[in-house]
Coordinates of all heavy atoms in Angstrom, one line a residue:
I140 N -3.0 -12.9 -5.3 CA -2.9 -12.7 -6.7 C -1.9 -13.7 -7.2 O -0.8 -13.8 -6.7 CB -2.4 -11.3 -7.1 CG1 -3.4 -10.2 -6.6 CG2 -2.3 -11.2 -8.7 CD1 -2.8 -8.8 -7.0
K141 N -2.3 -14.6 -8.1 CA -1.4 -15.6 -8.7 C -0.6 -16.4 -7.7 O 0.5 -16.7 -7.8 CB -0.4 -14.9 -9.6 CG -1.0 -14.3 -10.9 CD 0.0 -13.3 -11.6 CE 1.2 -14.0 -12.1 NZ 2.0 -13.0 -12.9
G142 N -1.3 -16.7 -6.6 CA -0.7 -17.5 -5.5 C 0.1 -16.7 -4.5 O 0.5 -17.2 -3.5
W143 N 0.2 -15.4 -4.7 CA 0.9 -14.5 -3.8 C -0.1 -14.0 -2.8 O -1.1 -13.4 -3.2 CB 1.5 -13.3 -4.5 CG 2.7 -13.6 -5.4 CD1 2.8 -14.3 -6.5 CD2 4.1 -13.3 -5.1 NE1 4.0 -14.4 -7.0 CE2 4.9 -13.7 -6.2 CE3 4.7 -12.5 -4.1 CZ2 6.2 -13.5 -6.2 CZ3 6.1 -12.3 -4.1 CH2 6.8 -12.8 -5.2
K144 N 0.3 -14.1 -1.5 CA -0.6 -13.5 -0.4 C 0.0 -12.1 -0.1 O 1.2 -11.9 0.1 CB -0.6 -14.4 0.8 CG -1.2 -15.7 0.6 CD -1.0 -16.7 1.8 CE 0.4 -17.1 1.9 NZ 0.6 -18.1 3.0
I145 N -0.9 -11.1 -0.1 CA -0.5 -9.7 -0.1 C -1.3 -9.0 1.0 O -2.5 -9.1 1.1 CB -0.8 -9.0 -1.5 CG1 -0.1 -9.8 -2.6 CG2 -0.3 -7.6 -1.4 CD1 -0.5 -9.4 -4.0
C146 N -0.5 -8.2 1.8 CA -1.1 -7.5 2.9 C -0.9 -6.0 2.7 O 0.2 -5.5 2.8 CB -0.5 -7.9 4.3 SG -1.1 -7.0 5.7
P147 N -1.9 -5.2 2.3 CA -1.8 -3.8 2.1 C -2.1 -3.0 3.4 O -3.1 -3.2 4.1 CB -2.8 -3.5 1.0 CG -3.9 -4.5 1.3 CD -3.3 -5.7 1.9
L148 N -1.2 -2.1 3.8 CA -1.4 -1.2 4.9 C -1.2 0.3 4.5 O -0.9 0.5 3.3 CB -0.4 -1.6 6.1 CG -0.6 -3.0 6.6 CD1 0.5 -3.3 7.6 CD2 -1.9 -3.3 7.2
I149 N -1.4 1.2 5.5 CA -1.4 2.6 5.1 C -0.4 3.4 6.0 O -0.6 3.4 7.2 CB -2.8 3.2 5.2 CG1 -3.8 2.4 4.3 CG2 -2.8 4.7 4.8 CD1 -5.2 2.9 4.5
C150 N 0.6 4.0 5.4 CA 1.4 5.1 5.9 C 1.9 4.9 7.4 O 2.8 4.1 7.6 CB 0.7 6.4 5.8 SG 1.8 7.9 5.8
Y151 N 1.3 5.5 8.4 CA 1.7 5.5 9.8 C 1.7 4.1 10.3 O 2.4 3.8 11.3 CB 0.7 6.4 10.5 CG 1.1 6.8 12.0 CD1 2.4 7.2 12.3 CD2 0.1 6.8 13.0 CE1 2.7 7.5 13.6 CE2 0.4 7.2 14.3 CZ 1.8 7.5 14.6 OH 2.1 7.9 15.9
D152 N 0.9 3.2 9.7 CA 1.0 1.8 10.1 C 2.4 1.2 10.1 O 2.7 0.3 10.9 CB 0.1 0.9 9.2 CG -1.4 1.0 9.4 OD1 -1.8 1.4 10.5 OD2 -2.1 0.8 8.4
L153 N 3.2 1.8 9.3 CA 4.6 1.4 9.2 C 5.4 1.4 10.5 O 6.3 0.6 10.7 CB 5.3 2.2 8.1 CG 6.8 2.0 7.9 CD1 7.1 0.6 7.4 CD2 7.4 3.0 6.9
R154 N 5.0 2.3 11.4 CA 5.8 2.5 12.6 C 5.4 1.4 13.7 O 6.0 1.4 14.7 CB 5.5 3.9 13.2 CG 6.2 5.0 12.4 CD 6.0 6.3 13.2 NE 6.7 7.4 12.5 CZ 7.9 7.8 12.8 NH1 8.6 7.2 13.8 NH2 8.5 8.8 12.2
F155 N 4.5 0.6 13.4 CA 3.9 -0.4 14.4 C 4.1 -1.8 14.0 O 3.3 -2.4 13.3 CB 2.5 0.0 14.7 CG 2.3 1.4 15.1 CD1 2.0 2.4 14.2 CD2 2.6 1.7 16.5 CE1 1.9 3.7 14.6 CE2 2.5 3.1 16.9 CZ 2.2 4.1 16.0
P156 N 5.3 -2.4 14.3 CA 5.6 -3.7 13.8 C 4.7 -4.9 14.2 O 4.6 -5.8 13.5 CB 7.0 -4.0 14.4 CG 7.1 -3.1 15.6 CD 6.3 -1.9 15.2
V157 N 4.0 -4.7 15.4 CA 3.1 -5.8 15.8 C 2.0 -5.9 14.8 O 1.6 -7.0 14.4 CB 2.6 -5.5 17.2 CG1 1.5 -6.5 17.6 CG2 3.7 -5.6 18.2
W158 N 1.4 -4.8 14.3 CA 0.3 -4.8 13.4 C 0.8 -5.4 12.0 O 0.0 -6.0 11.3 CB -0.2 -3.4 13.2 CG -1.5 -3.3 12.4 CD1 -1.7 -2.7 11.2 CD2 -2.8 -3.9 12.7 NE1 -3.0 -2.8 10.7 CE2 -3.7 -3.5 11.7 CE3 -3.3 -4.6 13.8 CZ2 -5.0 -3.9 11.6 CZ3 -4.6 -5.0 13.8 CH2 -5.5 -4.6 12.7
S159 N 2.0 -5.2 11.7 CA 2.6 -5.7 10.4 C 3.1 -7.1 10.5 O 3.5 -7.7 9.5 CB 3.7 -4.8 10.0 OG 3.3 -3.4 9.9
R160 N 3.1 -7.7 11.7 CA 3.8 -9.0 11.9 C 3.3 -10.1 11.0 O 2.1 -10.3 10.9 CB 3.8 -9.4 13.3 CG 4.8 -10.5 13.7 CD 6.2 -9.8 13.7 NE 7.2 -10.8 14.2 CZ 8.1 -11.3 13.3 NH1 8.1 -11.0 12.0 NH2 9.0 -12.2 13.8
N161 N 4.2 -10.8 10.4 CA 3.9 -11.9 9.4 C 3.9 -13.2 10.2 O 4.8 -14.1 10.0 CB 4.9 -11.9 8.3 CG 4.5 -12.8 7.1 OD1 3.3 -13.2 7.0 ND2 5.4 -13.0 6.2
V162 N 2.9 -13.5 11.0 CA 2.8 -14.7 11.8 C 2.5 -15.9 10.9 O 1.5 -15.9 10.1 CB 1.7 -14.6 12.9 CG1 1.6 -15.9 13.7 CG2 2.0 -13.4 13.8
N163 N 3.3 -16.9 10.9 CA 3.1 -18.1 10.2 C 3.1 -17.9 8.6 O 2.3 -18.5 7.9 CB 1.9 -18.9 10.6 CG 2.0 -19.4 12.1 OD1 3.1 -19.8 12.5 ND2 0.9 -19.3 12.8
L164 N 3.8 -16.9 8.2 CA 3.9 -16.5 6.8 C 2.5 -16.3 6.2 O 2.1 -16.9 5.2 CB 4.7 -17.6 6.0 CG 6.1 -17.8 6.4 CD1 6.8 -18.8 5.5 CD2 6.9 -16.5 6.4
E165 N 1.8 -15.5 6.8 CA 0.4 -15.1 6.3 C 0.5 -14.4 5.0 O -0.5 -14.5 4.2 CB -0.3 -14.2 7.3 CG -0.7 -14.9 8.6 CD -1.4 -13.9 9.5 OE1 -0.7 -13.0 10.0 OE2 -2.6 -14.1 9.8
Y166 N 1.6 -13.7 4.7 CA 1.7 -13.0 3.4 C 3.1 -13.1 2.9 O 4.1 -13.5 3.5 CB 1.3 -11.5 3.6 CG 2.1 -10.8 4.6 CD1 3.4 -10.3 4.3 CD2 1.6 -10.5 5.9 CE1 4.1 -9.6 5.2 CE2 2.4 -9.8 6.8 CZ 3.6 -9.3 6.4 OH 4.4 -8.6 7.3
D167 N 3.2 -12.8 1.6 CA 4.4 -12.8 0.8 C 4.9 -11.4 0.4 O 6.1 -11.2 0.1 CB 4.3 -13.7 -0.4 CG 3.8 -15.0 -0.2 OD1 4.4 -15.8 0.7 OD2 2.7 -15.4 -0.7

Side-chain angles (χ1 to χ4, degrees):
I140 301 176
K141 292 168 60 174
W143 288 72
K144 294 173 289 183
I145 305 167
C146 179
L148 299 176
I149 303 175
C150 202
Y151 193 43
D152 287 331
L153 176 61
R154 287 186 176 267
F155 302 94
V157 172
W158 188 243
S159 305
R160 197 74 177 106
N161 193 11
V162 178
N163 297 322
L164 299 185
E165 291 177 295
Y166 60 77
D167 308 302

